[in-house]
């Protein structure tokens, strides 16, 4: 088998790739506004109640009309998943992995279509959407290979006259709740991990970006996945989300989203329902408040670019986005000026236009929340750049920089999920790390420094799941930087890492006596 390497990103400076991207837009334009059914046990079910997903850069453009599942549909999906589990769990791991490899090949062949759909439905700029598609391919390729590595379990010792085995078996029916910000990659990764390990799934994508997940399920079907392994049940948390979490036959929940929702899922999953025979497992990634620490010895040009890219890529709508800068006092002012200069040069607009570095935020609720935090920032610190919105046609927020903040101000503590970054000053490197850790979250962080002692100090003391040196705090690559955080950032489930699949399985020991004593 070819060793795993991550999917290359597309070079959009090449005219041939620009033409392929336009072909992708043309394909997507042919099905914009279509109605999408549920998929339960392979059956397409169109419901009366539908929810529109729309282009956040042009709110009048409907991307898809998504059928909404009821509790009755959730029960149908659960029964289908339970029944299919009894056969799917016995399918050879090599066959399950091969489905993922075929799906990766299909998405690779349709790469520009999926990228165009992400631009339309999630408002992602070309570069960000291309990376989303590439990451989905990576998850499929990586998890397929990981399944082949662990399929025979782990070696254990045997004494004379006995034979012992330790292996992994699937859990059962899982509930996958995927987010809108990586509507293809995270959805594909969490679903593929559950499926390749022999589980069956009820998939509830974000209501803000559901069409791309439907297209993914179609790809999995084309790749040979049997009916009932993935059951596509979009719907509201109120109507079906809590119901499935609490269902006695739900074996595990794989969730990516906000802290508040994740905590509620964790609480509800802990309650044993009548007839439930397993304690539910929760795999959760719940956001961050991510810090870039800039040391006195830092390359300030590199630091400024890392801050701008990390804070404003995809309009700050990443759980790994930089929203806090802690700078040593002797370089703070110069660094701030460099960040302001770069920020004011960023272009904001419809991401269909390749030249726009930033697109919209996802919906009106997001823009309203961001505006509230901008007002908080004006009271807590000094507005250095941005602070304005454009809501005439879409949900646009201009990149915003605040200075003069205390490390424990609200703007420096609460997740905003938008293009807003705050600056604070530390007197020395030890205090900078203390400030960086003084948050409820522990997902990503970066340190910009030329000081080797400070690098090693940060390795020991900076409590985040993904720590980067002299680079962005965003952009983890599957199989290269396993992704997941501490504290209120989640359960430290390392997506794209060597132990991630095991979270979807349970260990079993079998011991055979070969000789009677």
């Amino acid at each position: 088998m070819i060793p795993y390497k991550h999917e290359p990103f597309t070079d959009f400076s090449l005219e041939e790739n620009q033409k392929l991207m336009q072909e992708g837009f043309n394909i997507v334009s042919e099905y914009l506004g279509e109605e999408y059914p549920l998929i339960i046990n392979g059956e397409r079910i169109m419901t009366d109640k539908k929810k529109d997903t729309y282009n956040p850069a042009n709110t009048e453009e409907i991307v898809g009309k998504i059928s909404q599942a009821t509790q009755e549909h959730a029960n149908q999906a659960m029964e289908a998943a339970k029944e299919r589990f009894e056969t799917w769990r016995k399918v050879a791991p090599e066959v399950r992995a091969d489905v993922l490899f075929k799906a990766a090949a299909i998405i690779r062949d349709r790469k520009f279509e999926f990228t165009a759909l992400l631009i339309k439905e999630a408002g992602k700029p070309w570069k960000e959407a291309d990376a989303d598609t590439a990451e989905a391919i990576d998850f499929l390729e990586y998890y397929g290979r990981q399944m082949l590595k662990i399929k025979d379990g782990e070696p254990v010792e045997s004494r004379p006259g006995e034979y012992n085995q330790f292996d992994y078996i699937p859990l059962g029916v899982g509930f996958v709740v995927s987010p809108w910000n990586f509507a293809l990659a995270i959805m594909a990764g969490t679903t593929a991990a559950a499926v390749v390990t022999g589980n069956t799934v009820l998939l509830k994508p974000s209501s803000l970006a559901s069409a791309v997940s439907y297209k993914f399920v179609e790809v999995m079907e084309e790749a040979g996945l049997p009916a009932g392994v993935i059951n596509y049940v979009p719907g509201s948390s109120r109507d079906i989300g809590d119901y499935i979490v609490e269902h006695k036959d739900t074996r595990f929940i794989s969730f990516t989203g906000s802290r508040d929702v994740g905590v509620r899922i964790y609480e509800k999953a802990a309650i044993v329902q009548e007839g439930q025979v397993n304690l539910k497992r929760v795999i959760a990634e719940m956001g961050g408040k991510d810090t870039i620490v800039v040391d006195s010895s830092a390359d300030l040009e590199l630091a400024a670019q890392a801050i701008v890219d990390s804070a404003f890529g995809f309009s700050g709508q990443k759980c790994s986005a930089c929203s806090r800068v802690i700078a040593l006092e002797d370089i703070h002012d110069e660094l701030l000026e460099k960040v302001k200069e770069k920020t004011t040069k960023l272009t904001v607009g419809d991401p269909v236009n390749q030249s726009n570095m930033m697109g919209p935020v996802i919906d009106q609720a997001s823009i309203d929340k961001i505006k509230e935090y901008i007002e908080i920032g004006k009271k807590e610190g000094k507005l250095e750049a941005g602070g304005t919105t454009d809501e005439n046609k879409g949900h646009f927020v201009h990149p915003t920089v605040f200075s003069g903040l205390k490390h424990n101000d609200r703007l420096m503590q609460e997740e905003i999920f938008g293009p807003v970054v705050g600056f604070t000053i530390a007197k020395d490197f030890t205090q900078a790390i203390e400030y960086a850790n003084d948050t409820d979250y522990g997902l990503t962080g970066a340190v910009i420094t030329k000081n080797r002692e400070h690098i090693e100090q940060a390795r020991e003391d900076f409590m985040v799941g993904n720590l980067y040196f002299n680079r962005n705090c965003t952009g983890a690559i599957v199989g290269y930087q396993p992704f997941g955080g501490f504290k209120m950032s989640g359960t430290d489930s390392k997506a794209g890492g060597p132990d991630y699949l095991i979270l979807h399985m349970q260990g079993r020991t079998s011991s055979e006596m070969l000789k009677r004593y």
Side-chain angles (χ1 to χ4, degrees), residues 334-375:
E334 183 181 353
L335 174 66
L336 177 61
E337 289 304 312
K338 287 181 178 292
V339 169
K340 285 168 58 179
E341 180 183 0
K342 292 179 182 298
T343 299
T344 55
K345 293 179 180 179
L346 298 178
T347 52
V348 181
D350 191 334
V352 167
N353 184 339
Q354 183 191 355
S355 65
N356 287 323
M357 183 271 185
M358 281 178 54
V361 297
I362 192 65
D363 65 356
Q364 189 62 47
S366 292
I367 207 170
D368 290 343
K369 177 183 177 183
I370 294 164
K371 287 194 294 186
E372 289 178 9
Y373 275 104
I374 288 173
E375 293 307 310

Side-chain angles (χ1 to χ4, degrees), residues 360-398:
V361 297
I362 192 65
D363 65 356
Q364 189 62 47
S366 292
I367 207 170
D368 290 343
K369 177 183 177 183
I370 294 164
K371 287 194 294 186
E372 289 178 9
Y373 275 104
I374 288 173
E375 293 307 310
I376 292 169
K378 290 176 181 178
K379 295 175 183 177
E380 293 181 335
K382 178 184 176 183
L383 179 64
E384 298 282 358
T388 57
T389 64
D390 179 358
E391 302 171 59
N392 291 325
K393 190 177 181 181
H395 306 308
F396 296 99
V397 180
H398 293 107

Side-chain angles (χ1 to χ4, degrees), residues 166-217:
F166 175 78
D167 58 3
Y168 297 105
I169 59 176
L171 294 173
V173 179
F175 182 34
V176 174
V177 184
S178 60
W180 53 264
N181 62 332
F182 286 83
L184 179 58
I186 292 179
M187 178 274 306
T190 50
T191 302
V195 164
V196 78
T197 47
N199 303 287
T200 54
V201 165
L202 276 62
L203 169 62
K204 189 183 93 66
S206 168
S207 61
L208 299 174
S210 303
V212 69
S213 55
Y214 181 90
K215 295 293 182 182
F216 171 75
V217 177

Side-chain angles (χ1 to χ4, degrees), residues 228-299:
V229 176
I230 300 176
N231 299 276
Y232 172 77
V233 285
S236 72
S237 295
R238 181 183 61 256
D239 291 340
I240 66 166
D242 290 345
Y243 179 78
I244 299 173
V245 167
E246 295 173 337
H247 197 287
K248 67 181 181 64
D249 293 323
T250 298
R251 186 64 180 86
F252 66 95
I253 301 101
S254 181
F255 168 78
T256 307
S258 72
R259 168 181 171 170
D260 289 347
V261 176
V263 168
R264 191 176 79 239
I265 287 173
Y266 206 78
E267 291 173 343
K268 289 182 177 296
I271 299 171
V272 176
Q273 306 294 326
E274 183 178 354
Q276 182 178 327
V277 297
N278 291 294
L279 296 176
K280 294 171 184 171
R281 188 173 295 179
V282 176
I283 306 163
E285 197 271 279
M286 305 190 303
K289 189 68 180 174
D290 308 295
T291 306
I292 293 182
V293 172
V294 184
D295 195 14
S296 297
S297 65
D299 178 334

